[in-house]
Amino acid sequence: MTGPPVRKAIFPAAGLGTRFLPVTKAQPKEMLPLVDKPTIQYGVEEAIASGIEEVIMVTGGGKRAIVDHFDRSRELEHYLEERGRSDLLHILAEIDDLSNQVDITYLQQKEPRGLGHAVWTARRLIGDEPCAVLLADDVILCDDRPVLKQLIDAHRTTGATVLAVRRVPRNEVSRYGIIETGGSKGGIHEVVDIVEKPSADDAPSDLAALGRYVLLPAVFLELDRGEPGAGNEIQLVDAIKRTIGTFPVVGVEFAGDYYDTGTVPGYLRANLTLAMKREGLREELAPLLRELLDGQPDRL
Ligand code: G1P
């Protein structure tokens, strides 16, 4: 099945980052680094590698740092040029290259009314075509095929709204949107219901929707209703749920390493893991970790 291509991606980045206070008091959580790169840059790189041409960042107050990050800094370039630091200039050139490959538009979500509301804020820029949504907190790395590309490919074959799903431990289901599946084929599940943050007892499965979506325009019509759900917020999951039955919705069990950077323990775990994978850092960190754990094997 071929419909219009998925060309636009929304990055909801208007959350207040309260789980990370005090560091997020004056700084967006999307700018927190994994090793040395802000989480939002991983998402933008993934979107571009998946064929996205337009990025829409939905920001709240105090998000200037995101705008500056993807903008050129002539002052810094000049400074590095004068000192012959072509190695560092190369890093700036990479960011510049990203913003040359996509148009980035910034929109303001005027009140923090939930993920669904943040996505709805971009409705006029999206128009009547399918679009992607990426949550920068969920960093998913896959050498073979970026996870968003995996979703876009599934959208192309099914014509459906697509969610990235993965099995999570039963005691963690209350942190996620959880799907109920009908039939499944080749890692693609038909979604017959979705529940936002259910209790372990009420969860219809252990398949969680993790931070990547391809949405059909019908989802925006449901968001238009502005109905609050769990936590009295307008939930993206609720709008998707209301399209089930009228429009197809599927979950793709994606390939890739998933890092939940949205909580402090998850964020630290992601940083340690990526740092240990990086040559040059691993050699420094491994002895330190051994030393810290020495004599405390129960902490492992
Ligand atoms: C959001 C979504 C939830 C999804 C999760 C993935 O929740 O509402 O459905 O499973 O992201 O990380 P949040 O983590 O913003 O509370």
Side-chain angles (χ1 to χ4, degrees):
M1 187 185 281
T2 46
V6 181
R7 299 184 306 114
K8 300 176 184 174
I10 303 171
F11 282 76
L16 297 175
T18 49
R19 283 178 198 151
F20 281 87
L21 280 170
V23 71
T24 46
K25 180 167 179 282
Q27 176 183 223
K29 75 169 179 205
E30 295 77 13
M31 287 303 294
L32 294 181
L34 279 193
V35 186
D36 49 12
K37 196 195 285 184
T39 55
I40 194 142
Q41 189 178 332
Y42 287 91
V44 170
E45 288 174 355
E46 180 189 327
I48 291 171
S50 304
I52 292 298
E53 296 164 9
E54 285 180 44
V55 159
I56 298 152
M57 304 259 182
V58 181
T59 68
K63 299 283 176 164
R64 191 73 233 166
I66 299 179
V67 181
D68 288 344
H69 183 72
F70 290 103
D71 198 0
R72 234 177 127 170
S73 172
R74 288 178 196 279
E75 195 185 337
L76 185 54
E77 280 173 26
H78 181 68
Y79 176 90
L80 295 173
E81 264 158 23
E82 276 197 332
R83 284 157 184 79
R85 294 301 307 266
S86 54
D87 53 333
L88 299 180
L89 277 165
H90 178 69
I91 295 175
L92 296 190
E94 275 177 10
I95 301 177
D96 196 37
D97 203 38
L98 293 177
S99 42
N100 286 335
Q101 292 182 68
V102 278
D103 293 328
I104 306 182
T105 306
Y106 298 88
L107 284 182
Q108 184 94 7
Q109 183 191 18
K110 297 206 179 76
E111 307 159 75
R113 293 183 61 199
L115 177 60
H117 183 258
V119 169
W120 175 81
T121 303
R123 68 202 175 283
R124 291 193 198 93
L125 289 179
I126 297 299
D128 192 26
E129 56 183 280
C131 73
V133 173
L134 295 94
L135 308 186
D137 275 1
D138 291 327
V139 174
I140 309 177
L141 302 177
C142 185
D143 289 339
D144 277 353
R145 196 167 42 132
V147 64
L148 180 60
K149 182 75 171 60
Q150 298 172 37
L151 266 60
I152 290 174
D153 289 346
H155 167 76
R156 200 177 300 133
T157 53
T158 60
T161 287
V162 187
L163 315 176
V165 299
R166 176 160 285 184
R167 295 191 190 280
V168 295
R170 273 274 166 184
N171 61 356
E172 289 180 16
V173 289
S174 61
R175 288 171 45 194
Y176 303 103
I178 302 291
I179 65 166
E180 180 178 347
T181 62
S184 302
K185 201 175 160 191
I188 299 187
H189 302 273
E190 181 200 355
V191 176
V192 296
D193 197 10
I194 323 172
V195 192
E196 179 68 2
K197 302 192 171 73
S199 67
D201 291 341
D202 294 338
S205 76
D206 58 354
L207 281 167
L210 298 177
R212 299 289 181 281
Y213 309 81
V214 172
L215 304 179
L216 290 177
V219 174
F220 283 85
L221 296 178
E222 293 300 332
L223 287 171
D224 274 340
R225 292 156 57 150
E227 268 176 38
N232 203 28
E233 294 194 333
I234 297 170
Q235 299 291 350
L236 178 59
V237 154
D238 293 345
I240 295 172
K241 177 191 176 105
R242 290 198 295 263
T243 68
I244 296 173
T246 319
F247 292 91
V249 180
V250 300
V252 169
E253 268 193 79
F254 60 91
D257 296 330
Y258 168 67
Y259 301 99
D260 173 10
T261 71
T263 64
V264 172
Y267 174 75
L268 295 175
R269 179 189 287 262
N271 262 299
L272 269 181
T273 310
L274 290 184
M276 288 298 283
K277 284 185 179 185
R278 184 164 321 167
E279 218 173 300
L281 283 178
R282 184 176 43 242
E283 295 73 9
E284 294 246 356
L285 278 178
L288 171 69
L289 290 176
R290 266 187 227 109
E291 193 185 311
L292 289 172
L293 291 169
D294 202 23
Q296 305 175 42
D298 55 319
R299 301 259 174 107
L300 264 173

